[in-house]
Amino acid sequence: AADTVKVGLLRLTSHSPSIIAAGNGYFADEGIEVEFVPFQAAQPMAVAIASGDIDFGMTAISGGLVSLAQKGAVKVIGGALMETPDVEGQKILVSKAAHDGGVTTPADLAGQRFGVTTAGSSFHYMAHKIADGAGFDRADLRIVPLQKVPAVIAALKSGQIDAWSIVPNIADALTAGPEVVEIGKVADYIPGYQVTTVFTSTRNIENNRELVERFLAALAKGIDDYNAALVDKTMSEADTAALVKMVHEYIYNDQPLEKADPRIRAGAMRINPGARLNLESVEDQLAWFQSEKLVPADATIDELVDTSFVETD
Amino acid sequence: MSTDLASPAAQHAEPATDLAGRREVPFRGGGFRHRPMWYVGPVVFAGLLLLWELGSRSGVISPIALPAPSEALGALGDLVETGMLWRHLSASLSRLALGWSIGTCLGILVGLAIGLFAVARSALSPLVSAFFPIPKIALLPLFIIWFGIGEGSKVATLVFGTFFPTVIATYSGVDGVDRNLIRMGQSFGLKWRSIVTKIILPGALPAILSGARISASIAIILLIAAEMIGAEYGLGAYILMAGSLFALDQLIAGVAMLSIIGLIVAWLIGRAERKLLDWRL
Amino acid sequence: MSTDLASPAAQHAEPATDLAGRREVPFRGGGFRHRPMWYVGPVVFAGLLLLWELGSRSGVISPIALPAPSEALGALGDLVETGMLWRHLSASLSRLALGWSIGTCLGILVGLAIGLFAVARSALSPLVSAFFPIPKIALLPLFIIWFGIGEGSKVATLVFGTFFPTVIATYSGVDGVDRNLIRMGQSFGLKWRSIVTKIILPGALPAILSGARISASIAIILLIAAEMIGAEYGLGAYILMAGSLFALDQLIAGVAMLSIIGLIVAWLIGRAERKLLDWRL
Amino acid sequence: MELIVEAVSHQYGATEVMADISFTIGSGEIVTVIGPSGCGKSTLLRFLGGLERPTSGKVFIEGAAPDGSLNPLTYVFQDFALLPWRTVEGNVRLVLDDHRLSASHTDEIVDDVLARTKLSEFRSAWPRQLSGGMKQRVAIARALAVRPAVMLMDEPLSALDSQTRELLMDDLVELWGRERFSACYVTHNLAEAVRLGHRIVVLSRRPGRIREVVDIDVPLSERATRMAELEVTQRHLWQLMRDEAREADRELLHVD
Amino acid sequence: MELIVEAVSHQYGATEVMADISFTIGSGEIVTVIGPSGCGKSTLLRFLGGLERPTSGKVFIEGAAPDGSLNPLTYVFQDFALLPWRTVEGNVRLVLDDHRLSASHTDEIVDDVLARTKLSEFRSAWPRQLSGGMKQRVAIARALAVRPAVMLMDEPLSALDSQTRELLMDDLVELWGRERFSACYVTHNLAEAVRLGHRIVVLSRRPGRIREVVDIDVPLSERATRMAELEVTQRHLWQLMRDEAREADRELLHVD
Ligand SMILES: Nc1ncnc2c1ncn2[C@@H]1O[C@H](COP(=O)(O)OP(=O)(O)OP(=O)(O)O)[C@@H](O)[C@H]1O
Ligand SMILES: Nc1ncnc2c1ncn2[C@@H]1O[C@H](COP(=O)(O)OP(=O)(O)OP(=O)(O)O)[C@@H](O)[C@H]1O
Ligand SMILES: [Mg+2]
Ligand SMILES: [Mg+2]
């Protein structure tokens, strides 16, 4: 009988590979039956892995994830979304008011209000890396925690924060309007940034190593299809449309396919083939968490990552 | 104003210096009771919607601040068309029904215990005061670990949310029951059970029903918190998703659904009140 | 049990077939009134904490499910040491005081209007039923646009949250005031204002106070929602950060602070009740 | 001031409570109303006080209220209607508060009426601490405080012991001698009725109709000493009431 | 069944309400208690019924309750204590519910007591729809329904018109003739006291003490026709009460 595996899903296009792997039968080929469990936010997904409610998840590395890893509950096993020079990556945005006020390059961000969801989120990390790269003190950025992406959007649009950084499909939608202006790319400041990772529970790694391997193998095929269809656009239009339809079952499924189709295709970022992991980037992120005292100083990279499943660099 | 209520001006009728002629005795009664005016509510709603729509169309209300009601209606139309409305609604309603009824029943039981037993009051009422103000959202990570990500944690969120206000409303109601009536029951040697079910519960019923109004609204509010965790369908999940996409039309459509549920629940409780409290006039 | 309450067994005393000898008349009164037992509450709290600590130390309670109270105490100690406790506390308390008092005052006013005027009841009570169940968190993006990310939106969240339950508690209380007393006031030609302030308000006071208990707890809960928006300091912000970092010891420490605030507020309301309702025995 | 009741009838739902009642309470006249339990006496009094409106018929008032009368038409409730959250004194003050009297004047009135009803000792007691008779005395004190021109009293003395009742009746007579107020006085005590009433309206059982109106010519102040003369009237009333009760009994038997 | 009051004294806070009261209510005996308003009659009755406990002294009960008595010691409240959310019938049924009677037996009792108190027509009325006298009759009907061995009555007839009162008194006498219950009957109506009491306990003003105990030998059933003989007793009681009131008055004057 097939092993049943529960996979946490955020309703974002970056989660398409596992949907594609399921739709194209790659999981079935590995003898895995997949059940998708949708989440509204990344953090509960990590907790649900710790509690054993789901088996695999894919999100950015957050303070919460490190904390759970340190408690021995979860481990990062592979990489997913990554900033690469060849594909459009995350963008740095400012409000119209700030732009008019002279904030036209990331170097002008000193003294501005930068929106993040929570302290210790990837937004927080990006903000500080931008400060480092642009050459001003991290403390000169005023970090405004707003908990949720929509809250940050609302604050940016109404000019109550000055800057933010976000994935291209949301960034493009925002810059299409008059209230928000793009002033730079995150990739310029954090080269090789490993934005999201694949993780599972320590229990799975210890008791079911071979299942984890099979899962990653199937996922890798899904990733290849995804990159071919939406990032490199080397797949035929008919096959791409079929993939989009597959993805639409879970993502933007409250809108008719015609409306959802362009949104799914827009601004896809590359996902590392074979779930390759940029360990260097992860180490840098961990070091940042520790420097900001968001995780205990004694957390180690070995607690966080199991490097035995995928290639790392 | 078509009420029996003596208006402020009419109240102080007939001062001592009144005309001495023959006149009808001024009406000074009524006890501030008023006639229901069922048509006012819908009119006010319609008026508000109209103003809002006009404000949106004329640009007084910026589309970032609030989408026009017609747009929200469009989003609602999409929901109906794709057949998702029913899915979201049924998921949320069944959670609501389950969570609210468990929370309310437990709340009434514990509230009665606090109202009736000195030990229970001393032990539980500080616990209630301590646990009530704990925000359910803060505990979501723990709820996942305790109750999983299935229906368990969602219903638990609603139960937690409705339990505490019901407890408080119930024991305040019990405290307000006329002690003389209880003494009467005791003097006739009524069983303890009879006194509780026939004297204390009916006496506390007005307070319990007013508590139910509040706890039902809280339960609806908590749908959002409950459906933050791994909910595929449900109005809360729909609103959260609309929010994360900054799709204000869908957001307002979802919020309007919650309002309508709130109105229906309030109407049902109003009916129950009229039926159960008919002795009150 | 050291209460005056006739226990279930003692209730049905003296059946017709009792012994015929001389015996004291059985006590069948008291009206279920009980003596306060101030020591029980602290003992229960201490017991719960002890069990919890023991559970955590022995590993029955996994550290992922709940940290030991001693760890939470450690986190609290850190807060005190760094001097952050006072900053968080003062930020939250001032928001709480402002939001709760505005919401409660407005709520009492509107509740009185609904209780007193037929027009207000017909127009406002469906609006209350419709707006109460709207989740504040869902509207956060809109709140930011409406009220900004400063103190305005935080206080507005608390005001919205406390306003509605107070309205409902107040008008239910007004509905419950003995009509005969109002008629008495009318027959003596009391001014409308006097009837409202001297008869209706005191009569509705028990219900209003029980509403205040509920709305105060809701306000504390809403600190989390309020401080979601760009708050640097405040217990809600502290808890949110702890939650997102999955720092359970800090999370529990923050929640415990909210509980303590809840206990203090409940105690204050209890004192107010005893003072204002002394006529009730 | 005069009160004129014109052709008053009333129904509560399907129940006919009273039918076609007309009489006049002249200025300075005390009219007592007697009748079997449930015949509509309290309801009629509520119409007189404007607390309720009859289904048909009207109640008129004529003539100016005397100076210094704070609430010309004053109603004494059968169930006292004391505010449980005000002390004895507070309950009396309640009805004076709105009249802009000087503080000392108010104190004077309160002291006076509490002394007259023997409640001075209990001025700061809560209503729940009072005996039935004491509550009734508070209700009377409150009514006296506003110096009514027409008093509407619903069994005001029924919860009092005979001596207190006697004293309060003397008090009322004396007060009337001084202030000549008009009054409608509902009672079920025939001795009270003949002692206090210039005119006695006898109502039939429900639906209440006027069965007879008895005038008594003996001046109020002399009645205490001339009770013997009044015996005849009292016995006549007794007879009337018994007839009513008998008929009611017969009807009930018929219904059973 | 017998009730024995032994050296009962009571204080509410600093107020001494009654002092050193002892008397016995023999089996099948009706004791009436009279005394000025606020002297502690209702409080004393609450002690007899076990509704409250005196500061010192005790109340004993002796002898078995007769068969068929559902609530041997039954209290009739001065303020009726009707449940506002139950109809007249429901208020009576309330006290029968716990006794596992057959449905038909319960119906029978309810019909009987409602007929005896002339409330059959009003069985489905709410308390708020009743007149004062009717409420009192419901309270009496409820007490009769449990066939008490000792009835404790606090001014049970004070809100009734004289004829209904007369009839209910006859009813009580007849009932007593059949069932020989014991009773303690608080009243402020001297005529009632001499009409119903085998023994009359006269209390002094607050703090209530026993001022005199008057025995009356005329059998209850003959009293209606031999009222003239009882006049003497009644006048004696009147005298006692007036003395009390006078003294109280004098004290008050002294205080003022
Ligand atoms: N709100 C009401 N709804 C329906 N019926 C009512 C209402 N109020 C009074 N009644 C009925 O009207 C009748 C007259 O009542 P009312 O109180 O006037 O009697 P009463 O003559 O004062 O009696 P009593 O001497 O016992 O006080 C009664 O039969 C009563 O049942
Ligand atoms: N709960 C209480 N607290 C304080 N004092 C009380 C309380 N109950 C009664 N009293 C006082 O006790 C005294 C006796 O009251 P009680 O009701 O027994 O009088 P009573 O003889 O029945 O008078 P009445 O004939 O007017 O009904 C009164 O002075 C009253 O003020
Ligand atoms: Mg009446
Ligand atoms: Mg009494």
Side-chain angles (χ1 to χ4, degrees):
Chain A
D3 294 297
T4 304
V5 149
K6 289 189 181 157
V7 177
L9 205 64
L10 287 179
R11 294 173 189 276
L12 300 172
T13 11
S14 56
H15 281 249
S16 305
S18 39
I19 300 171
I20 295 168
N24 285 342
Y26 304 145
F27 284 125
D29 293 345
E30 296 286 347
I32 296 176
E33 201 174 298
V34 162
E35 188 184 315
F36 289 115
V37 181
F39 281 83
Q40 302 295 338
Q43 207 252 351
M45 192 148 89
V47 179
I49 288 191
S51 74
D53 280 292
I54 59 172
D55 298 295
F56 295 94
M58 189 199 278
T59 65
I61 295 176
S62 64
L65 189 68
V66 178
S67 173
L68 282 168
Q70 212 202 356
K71 289 189 167 74
V74 300
K75 265 196 159 55
V76 170
I77 51 169
L81 225 53
M82 186 163 130
E83 293 282 352
T84 49
D86 59 322
V87 186
E88 280 240 289
Q90 302 196 71
K91 297 177 176 175
I92 304 168
L93 307 177
V94 293
S95 70
K96 182 78 171 58
H99 193 259
D100 292 348
V103 185
T104 49
T105 67
D108 302 327
L109 283 174
Q112 304 297 319
R113 295 165 299 182
F114 195 99
V116 304
T117 52
T118 59
S121 63
S122 54
F123 301 107
H124 195 183
Y125 172 71
M126 286 187 273
H128 278 180
K129 294 307 276 188
I130 292 168
D132 293 350
F136 59 87
D137 192 358
R138 285 178 183 178
D140 283 346
L141 264 187
R142 286 164 56 202
I143 301 295
V144 181
L146 292 158
Q147 304 304 325
K148 301 210 177 292
V149 168
V152 183
I153 294 176
L156 184 68
K157 276 189 168 180
S158 54
Q160 303 190 59
I161 55 170
D162 305 302
W164 191 35
S165 59
I166 187 61
V167 290
N169 60 343
I170 295 180
D172 294 346
L174 285 174
T175 49
E179 304 100 347
V180 178
V181 185
E182 180 190 336
I183 58 163
K185 292 187 183 357
V186 171
D188 296 341
Y189 295 87
I190 321 174
Y193 176 24
Q194 184 71 60
V195 183
T196 65
T197 57
V198 182
F199 49 92
T200 187
S201 64
T202 317
R203 208 173 324 118
N204 274 341
I205 293 175
E206 282 166 3
N207 305 337
N208 231 339
R209 196 171 178 85
E210 159 271 346
L211 175 68
V212 176
E213 280 162 358
R214 279 189 281 144
F215 175 85
L216 284 173
L219 183 65
K221 291 185 199 163
I223 291 174
D224 289 341
D225 285 357
Y226 169 87
N227 283 336
L230 301 176
V231 182
D232 301 327
K233 306 208 164 53
T234 51
M235 198 181 267
S236 72
E237 173 54 30
D239 288 349
T240 305
L243 274 192
V244 168
K245 191 157 180 292
M246 210 180 279
V247 170
H248 176 248
E249 254 181 71
Y250 292 96
I251 292 166
Y252 299 134
N253 62 351
D254 57 318
Q255 294 166 345
L257 182 57
E258 311 83 78
K259 277 196 202 171
D261 185 283
R263 303 186 67 167
I264 291 174
R265 291 181 195 232
M269 275 174 74
R270 182 178 303 285
I271 295 186
N272 291 354
R276 231 184 128 77
L277 182 69
N278 185 350
L279 194 58
E280 204 179 311
S281 170
V282 176
E283 278 167 343
D284 185 57
Q285 292 180 51
L286 182 60
W288 173 77
F289 278 121
Q290 286 169 332
S291 70
E292 290 295 310
K293 297 199 170 48
L294 293 164
V295 302
D298 56 358
T300 65
I301 191 77
D302 296 333
E303 284 172 341
L304 180 60
V305 184
D306 187 322
T307 50
S308 61
F309 291 97
V310 297
E311 290 178 45
T312 59
D313 43 20
Chain B
M1 224 165 69
S2 74
T3 76
D4 282 340
L5 159 70
S7 72
Q11 265 301 309
H12 208 56
E14 215 214 340
T17 52
D18 221 28
L19 278 170
R22 181 169 176 155
R23 63 223 179 253
E24 226 180 309
V25 165
F27 179 67
R28 302 187 296 181
F32 284 25
R33 199 150 280 295
H34 34 230
R35 247 169 261 151
M37 300 158 78
W38 60 268
Y39 48 88
V40 174
V43 166
V44 168
F45 265 102
L48 279 181
L49 280 179
L50 198 74
L51 271 181
W52 175 7
E53 180 73 37
L54 286 178
S56 292
R57 297 230 171 161
S58 66
V60 176
I61 303 176
S62 119
I64 296 187
L66 209 58
S70 52
E71 281 177 46
L73 209 67
L76 211 60
D78 282 353
L79 266 183
V80 176
E81 226 173 88
T82 54
M84 294 298 283
L85 179 68
W86 181 237
R87 277 195 152 165
H88 289 310
L89 211 55
S90 60
S92 285
L93 285 181
S94 62
R95 277 164 204 154
L96 208 55
L98 199 63
W100 183 77
S101 28
I102 296 178
T104 303
C105 291
L106 286 179
I108 291 177
L109 283 181
V110 172
L112 272 181
I114 291 181
L116 293 177
F117 304 107
V119 177
R121 164 160 316 216
S122 315
L124 295 179
S125 88
L127 284 186
V128 167
S129 307
F131 283 116
F132 187 4
I134 293 179
K136 264 57 70 183
I137 305 177
L139 294 188
L140 277 191
L142 293 179
F143 270 42
I144 293 175
I145 301 214
W146 298 343
F147 303 108
I149 56 168
E151 289 302 299
S153 61
K154 299 177 185 71
V155 172
T157 308
L158 297 179
V159 169
F160 270 63
T162 50
F163 172 76
F164 294 108
T166 310
V167 169
I168 291 179
T170 305
Y171 82 68
S172 302
V174 171
D175 284 355
V177 174
D178 186 352
R179 296 292 129 175
N180 221 27
L181 294 181
I182 301 177
R183 262 179 228 125
M184 182 276 293
Q186 293 178 311
S187 86
F188 273 99
L190 295 198
K191 293 205 177 95
W192 186 86
R193 257 189 60 143
S194 290
I195 294 183
V196 172
T197 57
K198 292 172 191 162
I199 300 180
I200 293 178
L201 263 182
L205 199 59
I208 293 176
L209 283 173
S210 129
R213 263 180 204 283
I214 292 177
S215 72
S217 294
I218 292 181
I220 298 174
I221 291 177
L222 282 178
L223 273 180
I224 279 267
E227 293 177 356
M228 276 190 181
I229 318 160
E232 196 166 359
Y233 299 113
L235 288 173
Y238 175 76
I239 292 175
L240 284 169
M241 190 154 75
S244 65
L245 301 173
F246 213 78
L248 288 187
D249 50 346
Q250 295 181 20
L251 185 83
I252 297 291
V255 165
M257 289 303 307
L258 293 185
S259 285
I260 292 171
I261 296 178
L263 275 174
I264 292 173
V265 170
W267 179 79
L268 286 176
I269 294 178
R271 279 202 60 133
E273 256 172 4
R274 235 164 300 138
K275 217 178 145 68
L276 293 172
L277 307 182
D278 55 347
W279 51 269
R280 230 166 55 166
L281 200 89
Chain C
M1 222 164 73
S2 75
T3 77
D4 282 339
L5 159 69
S7 72
Q11 262 302 305
H12 206 54
E14 214 215 343
T17 52
D18 221 26
L19 277 170
R22 181 167 175 159
R23 60 219 180 259
E24 227 182 309
V25 165
F27 180 66
R28 302 186 297 181
F32 284 24
R33 199 151 281 294
H34 36 229
R35 247 170 263 150
M37 301 158 79
W38 60 267
Y39 48 89
V40 175
V43 166
V44 169
F45 266 101
L48 280 181
L49 280 179
L50 198 75
L51 270 180
W52 175 7
E53 180 73 38
L54 286 179
S56 291
R57 299 232 168 158
S58 67
V60 176
I61 302 175
S62 121
I64 291 188
L66 208 58
S70 51
E71 282 178 46
L73 209 66
L76 209 61
D78 285 352
L79 268 182
V80 176
E81 228 172 84
T82 55
M84 292 301 281
L85 179 69
W86 181 237
R87 273 197 154 163
H88 289 310
L89 211 55
S90 61
S92 285
L93 284 181
S94 62
R95 278 165 203 150
L96 207 56
L98 198 64
W100 182 77
S101 30
I102 297 178
T104 302
C105 291
L106 287 179
I108 290 177
L109 282 181
V110 172
L112 271 181
I114 291 181
L116 292 177
F117 305 107
V119 177
R121 165 160 314 215
S122 315
L124 296 179
S125 90
L127 283 186
V128 168
S129 309
F131 284 114
F132 188 3
I134 293 178
K136 265 57 70 182
I137 306 178
L139 293 188
L140 279 191
L142 293 180
F143 268 44
I144 291 176
I145 293 182
W146 298 342
F147 303 107
I149 56 171
E151 289 302 299
S153 59
K154 299 178 185 71
V155 172
T157 309
L158 297 179
V159 169
F160 270 63
T162 50
F163 172 76
F164 295 108
T166 309
V167 170
I168 291 178
T170 305
Y171 82 69
S172 302
V174 171
D175 285 355
V177 175
D178 186 352
R179 296 294 130 177
N180 221 28
L181 295 181
I182 300 178
R183 261 180 230 123
M184 182 276 292
Q186 292 178 312
S187 86
F188 274 99
L190 294 199
K191 291 204 180 97
W192 185 86
R193 259 190 57 145
S194 289
I195 293 184
V196 171
T197 55
K198 293 172 191 162
I199 301 180
I200 293 180
L201 264 182
L205 198 60
I208 293 176
L209 284 173
S210 129
R213 263 179 204 283
I214 292 177
S215 73
S217 294
I218 291 181
I220 298 174
I221 290 177
L222 282 179
L223 273 180
I224 277 268
E227 295 177 355
M228 277 190 177
I229 315 163
E232 202 167 350
Y233 299 111
L235 288 174
Y238 176 76
I239 292 176
L240 282 168
M241 179 148 120
S244 69
L245 297 175
F246 208 78
L248 291 186
D249 50 347
Q250 295 181 21
L251 184 81
I252 296 293
V255 164
M257 289 302 307
L258 293 186
S259 286
I260 292 171
I261 297 179
L263 275 173
I264 292 174
V265 170
W267 179 78
L268 287 176
I269 294 179
R271 280 201 59 131
E273 256 173 4
R274 234 163 302 138
K275 216 178 145 69
L276 293 172
L277 307 182
D278 55 346
W279 50 268
R280 233 168 50 167
L281 198 93
Chain D
M1 263 169 51
E2 239 170 74
L3 272 181
I4 302 127
V5 181
E6 258 187 31
V8 162
S9 304
H10 193 65
Q11 276 124 31
Y12 279 120
T15 332
E16 195 178 0
V17 177
M18 69 187 72
D20 194 30
I21 293 191
S22 304
F23 64 94
T24 303
I25 303 170
S27 189
E29 196 178 42
I30 299 181
V31 172
T32 52
V33 176
I34 59 173
S37 170
C39 76
K41 302 183 293 296
S42 299
T43 310
L44 178 62
L45 209 63
R46 283 199 294 273
F47 297 153
L48 291 184
L51 295 182
E52 222 172 290
R53 290 208 177 288
T55 318
S56 75
K58 283 199 168 143
V59 182
F60 295 100
I61 195 168
E62 200 169 300
D67 281 356
S69 171
L70 300 176
N71 188 47
L73 214 57
T74 296
Y75 194 100
V76 181
F77 287 78
Q78 190 174 7
D79 63 355
F80 321 141
L82 302 182
L83 300 184
W85 49 85
R86 284 194 166 221
T87 58
V88 167
E89 184 180 344
N91 267 286
V92 175
R93 276 184 193 277
L94 173 78
V95 300
L96 296 172
D97 280 353
D98 283 356
H99 291 289
R100 300 182 207 204
L101 306 173
S102 69
S104 65
H105 190 187
T106 306
D107 289 347
E108 217 171 86
I109 297 180
V110 171
D111 290 347
D112 176 51
V113 295
L114 289 183
R116 273 203 268 164
T117 46
K118 302 218 176 73
L119 288 166
S120 307
E121 246 187 298
F122 291 92
R123 53 190 316 150
S124 51
W126 297 115
R128 69 175 158 84
Q129 299 175 320
L130 301 179
S131 74
M134 288 152 88
K135 281 185 207 156
Q136 205 160 39
R137 269 142 58 196
V138 179
I140 293 171
R142 183 174 60 186
L144 292 177
V146 291
R147 301 184 198 274
V150 185
M151 284 258 257
L152 305 171
M153 291 184 277
D154 199 352
E155 313 195 7
L157 308 181
S158 69
L160 297 177
D161 66 288
S162 45
Q163 269 306 323
T164 312
R165 177 150 69 209
E166 201 68 27
L167 287 169
L168 274 171
M169 268 200 276
D170 286 347
D171 222 48
L172 275 176
V173 169
E174 197 196 299
L175 194 74
W176 181 84
R178 264 186 290 140
E179 322 213 338
R180 299 279 156 159
F181 55 81
S182 323
C184 185
Y185 189 105
V186 168
T187 180
H188 50 254
N189 184 312
L190 300 181
E192 273 176 37
V194 298
R195 175 79 191 280
L196 290 175
H198 295 105
R199 194 123 42 89
I200 300 169
V201 174
V202 184
L203 295 184
S204 70
R205 71 191 180 287
R206 194 168 49 86
R209 291 167 197 280
I210 295 190
R211 209 185 137 117
E212 200 169 320
V213 177
V214 179
D215 282 282
I216 306 184
D217 291 330
V218 185
L220 286 193
S221 53
E222 295 169 23
R223 291 198 188 169
T225 49
R226 289 164 66 183
M227 272 317 264
E229 279 174 57
L230 297 169
E231 272 295 318
V232 193
T233 320
Q234 192 171 339
R235 212 163 304 144
H236 173 63
L237 294 174
W238 178 257
Q239 199 65 39
L240 281 175
M241 297 286 288
R242 186 160 59 190
D243 292 353
E244 273 303 321
R246 284 233 180 95
E247 266 172 67
D249 250 8
R250 218 169 296 140
E251 273 177 23
L252 272 179
L253 282 175
H254 208 72
V255 168
D256 276 356
Chain E
M1 265 170 52
E2 238 170 75
L3 272 182
I4 300 127
V5 181
E6 258 186 31
V8 162
S9 303
H10 192 66
Q11 275 123 30
Y12 280 120
T15 331
E16 193 178 1
V17 178
M18 67 186 75
D20 194 31
I21 294 191
S22 305
F23 65 95
T24 302
I25 303 170
S27 190
E29 197 178 43
I30 299 180
V31 172
T32 53
V33 177
I34 61 175
S37 168
C39 75
K41 303 183 293 296
S42 299
T43 310
L44 178 63
L45 210 62
R46 285 200 294 274
F47 297 154
L48 291 184
L51 295 182
E52 222 171 288
R53 291 206 178 288
T55 316
S56 75
K58 282 198 167 147
V59 181
F60 295 100
I61 195 168
E62 198 168 305
D67 282 355
S69 171
L70 300 178
N71 188 47
L73 213 59
T74 297
Y75 194 98
V76 180
F77 286 78
Q78 189 175 9
D79 64 354
F80 321 142
L82 302 181
L83 299 184
W85 49 84
R86 285 195 165 219
T87 60
V88 168
E89 185 180 345
N91 266 288
V92 175
R93 277 183 193 278
L94 172 77
V95 300
L96 297 172
D97 281 354
D98 282 357
H99 290 289
R100 296 178 211 209
L101 307 173
S102 70
S104 65
H105 189 186
T106 307
D107 290 345
E108 217 171 85
I109 297 179
V110 172
D111 290 348
D112 176 50
V113 295
L114 289 182
R116 273 203 268 162
T117 48
K118 302 221 177 71
L119 287 166
S120 306
E121 246 187 298
F122 291 91
R123 54 191 315 152
S124 52
W126 297 114
R128 71 176 155 85
Q129 299 174 320
L130 301 179
S131 73
M134 289 153 88
K135 281 185 207 157
Q136 203 161 37
R137 270 142 60 198
V138 179
I140 294 172
R142 183 174 59 186
L144 292 177
V146 291
R147 299 184 201 275
V150 184
M151 284 257 258
L152 304 171
M153 291 183 279
D154 199 353
E155 315 194 7
L157 308 181
S158 71
L160 296 176
D161 65 286
S162 45
Q163 269 305 322
T164 313
R165 177 150 68 208
E166 200 68 29
L167 287 168
L168 275 171
M169 269 201 273
D170 286 348
D171 222 49
L172 275 176
V173 170
E174 197 197 299
L175 195 73
W176 181 83
R178 262 187 290 140
E179 323 213 336
R180 300 277 156 157
F181 54 83
S182 321
C184 184
Y185 189 105
V186 168
T187 179
H188 49 254
N189 184 313
L190 301 182
E192 271 176 38
V194 298
R195 176 77 190 282
L196 291 175
H198 294 101
R199 194 124 41 89
I200 299 169
V201 173
V202 184
L203 295 183
S204 71
R205 72 193 178 289
R206 194 167 53 85
R209 292 169 196 278
I210 294 191
R211 205 181 142 116
E212 199 168 323
V213 177
V214 180
D215 283 281
I216 306 184
D217 292 331
V218 184
L220 285 193
S221 54
E222 293 169 25
R223 291 198 187 168
T225 49
R226 289 164 65 182
M227 271 317 262
E229 282 175 56
L230 297 170
E231 271 295 317
V232 192
T233 320
Q234 192 170 338
R235 210 161 306 142
H236 173 62
L237 293 174
W238 177 256
Q239 199 66 42
L240 281 175
M241 297 285 287
R242 188 161 56 188
D243 293 351
E244 274 303 322
R246 284 233 179 96
E247 265 172 68
D249 249 9
R250 217 169 298 141
E251 274 177 24
L252 271 178
L253 282 175
H254 207 73
V255 169
D256 277 357

